[in-house]
Structures are given as structure tokens and as C-alpha cells.
Amino acid sequence: MAVTAALALSIASPAWAQVLTDEQRSAAKTANADPALAPDLLLSAKDMAWWRDAKLGIFVHWGLYAIPGKGEWHMFNDKVPAAEYAKLSQQFNPRHYDARAWARLAHEAGARYMVMTARHHDGFSLFRSPSSYGGYDSVRSAAQRDLVADFVTAVRGEGLRVGLYYSPMDWRFPGYFQPKELPDNAQLMKRQTYGQIEELMRNYGRIDILWWDGGWLAHKGTDADAAGFWESDKLNRMVRRYQPKAVINPRSGWQGDFDVAEGGSPITGPIRARPWEKTFSINRSAWGFTPDKNTLGADEVIVLLVNAVVRNGNVLANVSPDPDGRIPADQAKTLHGVGEWLKRHGRAIYGTRPGPLQPVDNVHGSTQSGDSVFLHILSWPDEALTVPITGPVHDVVNLSGAEVTWRKEPNGIRIMVPPASRGAAVTIVEVKGGNAVR
Ligand code: GLC
């Protein structure tokens, strides 16, 4: 059978692959998508509004790679032959998988959407997939069920928006690594992508987000460089047929409805014009499960969230469930910390738009909503901060502590918050009526 032949071929790993770190590899994929390619598929500002209001989503990287616990790149990094790796599917029996518990946790974290890896680069599908090459899906694994179906129902039931991650490329195909030399095999992989995307977009009701990843070829160049191979305009046109309102990211080579910035590095610079999303893993070691508890704390996530939101961005924070389907307790703790913080500061985050002040890296940024400006203060150069807000301010409220004093000055307003009334990670001050800037 063709499947066996393909699986038997070992993965060719080019020499350069070993010298790049995961972070560098991600950076190398940054889209340089052609804005002239299928602009008619872009969502309207109205259809994007819920996503821009939502600000926080939870990403879930889960699959066979949870079992060895070496991260989702294990198969490629450790050169595990596809047939050998595939044996994991007969061990994959996540008895504690409870999608409702995941969705509840995301809700408690203050997230408004959740995105799950329906299929990662290893090729194993977490859903019933007749189009899967070699029948490599969770229904035919020890789990014997459609894990995506449970996820979609649970997330919707919790009142959150539903997102699915899908990697067009699949390491099981030698044609992925050598598309020129093995064009037929590469076409087989492409056919699988079209078939599986049709399944995902057709069989699970409304899908709010389609999160592509890994559109590039042979781990070279960018996603956009491979747009011709995937015919990503055609691919996303099919998506739109089933899901006319899905928010689509740019990682299939088509420009997508928003930009993606990947990894946990600090966020700096001015407000970005295009909606964008910072995505990083709360498990510092990998996106997929690793047992080492190398976990970001709530304050670190909050700083990333604030720095994204003041620059027109969202955050998609990833968790890594274990082989049994449980989100590790330390990751859940971080999410609960973020949720507690959002209960108190949500007014300055959800539904806001950036500005009116440009952010000053590591010092402050701002959001606005209605007649209020929210200052997100990350550090205090002095005992006070003066910002160039000159509107008819009628009140200033400290969301992070008891005290705040302020006064108008010729060049703006001077705000003083004593150290005991500052937040641990960030102090948020609401300037009512301040929505006018010099
Ligand atoms: C990288 C990795 C992948 C991960 C993704 C999330 O592209 O290839 O493992 O799923 O980042 O953004």
C-alpha cells in the first residue's frame, strides 16, 4: 500500500535544521504574504470586531507528542521514523480528557476564545478524518473518539469562540522535504490538506477561527513562499464557502485577517495598524507537553497581554495537556492568576482600542473605550508620571490599588500612585473624560 511505502522512507533532515533553535525557526516563517492575493476573502471590519474585542485566547497543543513529553517537534528533532512514531497512536488513550474542564479553565482565565491543534506537523489528526493519509486519526487510535468534536461542543457550551489549528504540512510525507524531487508525494500531502480542511470546516458547525501553521515547504523560506504550492487562495476560498465569517490567520501563505507574532519575547514598538496576535506557550520548554514545569507566571502573561493590547494586539496563550488529557496544575494556576487580574482590570482590556498615546517601551501604553483612557503603567520613572492628556478630565481612578492623586499641568496630567497602591506587574489608571490628546 502507498501508505507503507511513504512511511518507510525516512525523513530527510537538512543539515541547517539542526543549527536553528525553535525560536529562530519560527522567526524564519514570518509571513511576507502578497496583499494582492485574494483580498476579497478578507473579513470586514464588522466581522473582525468580536476578535478585536476579545483580547485573550487559550491555545492548546495536544497530540501523540504528549506521550514522550519532549515537545511537539519530537518526531522531527529526534529523527523518529514515521512508522515508529505512529505506534504512539495505539498508546494514546487519554482517560482524563475532559474538554469541558479545559473550556471552564479558559473561561476562568478570562479568555474569550480557544484554539486547539486539530492536527500538528506529525500528521496525527485529533478528529474523525476519512481524508487522513493512512487513517491516522484519534478515532482509529487507542482513544477511539473524535477529540475535536468534544472540544468544539465544550468550548461553545462555555460561551467561548471556537478555533482550530491545522498544519497543512505533514512530516510523514517525503515530498514535504523534497517537493521538486517527489512531486507526486507532495501532491498527496496537498490532497490530504484539502480533504481535511473540508472535513473540519464542514462537520463541526460554526468555526470562529482557523489557525494555520506550517504552510512553508521543506522547512525553508516563509509560509508565503509556498502559497503557490498550496494554492492558498483556492484553499481559503474553500474555507470561506463553509465558514464565511471565520477569522483566518496568515500562516497558509494567504495574507489572512490578522498577523501573528510568535514566541515569548517582549513586545515593543508603536501601535500596529493591522490587528495582530502574540502567541506564546505558558510552558516555556515547548508548545506540547513536557514534564519539567518550566512555566510562565501569571504576571509574565499579564505583561505580555498588556503590551499586546496597547499595540492593537491579542494574546493567544498556549497550554500543553499531558498524555492523559489534563492541563498541568502549574499551567492552570497561571491561568487562574490571569483570570483574577482580568476580573479587576478587564474594563481596561476587553472591547478597548489602543491609544490615544503611543506606547513607551517598558514604561506605559494606553487603551481607550467610550470616554475613558486607560493608562497601563509598567514602570515608574519617577514617583509620578506625566502624560500628554489635555482633555476635560473629570476623574482619575486607580484600578490596581487604593490610592491615586492627580493634577492638571500645562503639558498634560500628572498622576501619582504610591508604591503600595501599584499593581505587581502593571498599574492601570483610568482617566475619565481624558479622551483627547494634545
Ligand atoms: C511553530 C512550531 C509549532 C507551533 C507553532 C505555534 O510554528 O512549528 O510547533 O505549533 O509555532 O505558533
Side-chain angles (χ1 to χ4, degrees):
M1 187 164 101
V3 177
T4 337
L7 294 181
L9 280 167
S10 66
I11 291 172
S13 36
W16 61 266
Q18 277 104 59
V19 294
L20 290 184
T21 63
D22 286 353
E23 185 127 2
Q24 286 166 325
R25 211 152 32 198
S26 301
K29 298 191 317 173
T30 307
N32 54 337
D34 176 4
L37 186 67
D40 59 303
L41 296 181
L42 289 169
L43 285 187
S44 67
K46 187 162 155 270
D47 289 332
M48 279 297 286
W50 75 263
W51 187 90
R52 296 186 68 201
D53 289 347
K55 310 300 184 193
L56 178 63
I58 302 300
F59 213 172
V60 185
H61 272 67
W62 195 44
L64 299 183
Y65 43 79
I67 300 173
K70 294 176 181 164
E72 78 291 349
W73 274 67
H74 164 63
M75 175 176 165
F76 178 84
N77 287 347
D78 298 324
K79 304 189 183 60
V80 185
E84 189 59 34
Y85 184 88
K87 290 181 186 159
L88 291 170
S89 87
Q90 295 316 312
Q91 285 174 46
F92 188 57
N93 187 12
R95 288 195 185 81
H96 295 283
Y97 172 50
D98 176 358
R100 276 186 308 186
W102 288 10
R104 212 176 309 123
L105 176 61
H107 195 173
E108 286 162 7
R112 300 273 163 96
Y113 58 93
M114 220 176 167
V115 181
M116 181 193 192
T117 48
R119 209 212 69 197
H120 207 268
H121 312 332
D122 63 1
F124 179 73
S125 299
L126 276 74
F127 58 103
R128 178 183 304 279
S129 179
S131 302
S132 167
Y133 186 64
Y136 198 37
D137 69 15
S138 59
V139 178
R140 284 166 277 195
S141 75
Q144 294 188 325
R145 54 203 263 229
D146 185 325
L147 304 162
V148 166
D150 292 355
F151 172 82
V152 169
T153 307
V155 173
R156 223 183 264 125
E158 197 63 39
L160 305 179
R161 298 280 188 152
V162 178
L164 296 177
Y165 163 113
Y166 181 84
S167 159
M169 66 86 154
D170 180 335
W171 288 322
R172 296 180 300 156
F173 291 83
Y176 166 68
F177 296 95
Q178 295 172 288
K180 286 208 180 69
E181 296 79 357
L182 302 168
D184 293 349
N185 189 259
Q187 285 305 317
L188 217 51
M189 171 178 72
K190 180 176 168 184
R191 263 213 298 286
Q192 173 182 256
T193 287
Y194 275 74
Q196 293 199 307
I197 284 298
E198 186 159 28
E199 289 163 3
L200 288 171
M201 297 299 108
R202 189 189 52 203
N203 299 345
Y204 298 89
R206 180 169 173 165
I207 299 300
D208 299 296
I209 299 167
L210 174 57
W211 217 99
W212 296 106
D213 179 38
W216 72 143
L217 276 178
H219 294 326
K220 281 199 196 98
T222 68
D223 293 326
D225 292 339
F229 171 80
W230 297 108
E231 297 181 89
S232 43
D233 50 339
K234 187 171 148 198
L235 189 54
N236 286 288
R237 203 169 290 287
M238 173 176 70
V239 171
R240 283 274 177 262
R241 253 206 335 269
Y242 293 107
Q243 302 289 343
K245 301 281 163 95
V247 180
I248 304 176
N249 86 342
R251 289 272 187 84
S252 64
W254 174 63
Q255 57 190 300
D257 296 304
F258 62 96
D259 291 334
V260 173
E262 186 179 287
S265 56
I267 302 165
T268 56
I271 298 168
R272 302 184 195 176
R274 219 182 169 231
W276 64 285
E277 181 178 64
K278 172 79 166 177
T279 184
F280 57 86
S281 186
I282 288 179
N283 171 14
R284 280 197 194 86
S285 301
W287 298 85
F289 176 71
T290 57
D292 54 355
K293 300 191 171 46
N294 185 11
T295 311
L296 286 182
D299 282 353
E300 291 170 287
V301 177
I302 290 162
V303 168
L304 286 163
L305 177 64
V306 157
N307 275 324
V309 171
V310 302
R311 291 172 175 82
N312 204 21
N314 281 9
V315 152
L316 182 62
N318 176 70
V319 293
S320 330
D322 70 16
D324 264 342
R326 280 179 293 220
I327 295 174
D330 47 316
Q331 297 183 20
K333 183 170 171 232
T334 294
L335 290 187
H336 280 131
V338 174
E340 284 309 307
W341 185 86
L342 276 166
K343 269 191 204 134
R344 188 164 179 178
H345 298 90
R347 206 144 51 96
I349 303 284
Y350 301 121
T352 63
R353 292 294 176 263
L357 306 173
Q358 277 293 345
V360 177
D361 291 348
N362 307 315
V363 184
H364 67 75
S366 65
T367 53
Q368 53 187 322
S369 141
D371 197 27
S372 287
V373 170
F374 298 92
L375 298 172
H376 302 237
I377 304 163
L378 294 147
S379 64
W380 295 80
D382 218 325
E383 80 276 6
L385 187 71
T386 303
V387 288
I389 290 178
T390 54
V393 174
H394 49 83
D395 200 8
V396 172
V397 179
N398 181 2
L399 270 54
S400 309
E403 286 180 46
V404 58
T405 50
W406 62 285
R407 64 168 185 262
K408 286 194 181 184
E409 292 197 336
N411 56 347
I413 60 167
R414 185 173 164 81
I415 293 167
M416 286 145 291
V417 175
S421 291
R422 296 176 187 170
V426 54
T427 305
I428 297 192
V429 168
E430 178 176 4
V431 180
K432 294 190 176 181
N435 207 348
V437 174
R438 132 191 308 247

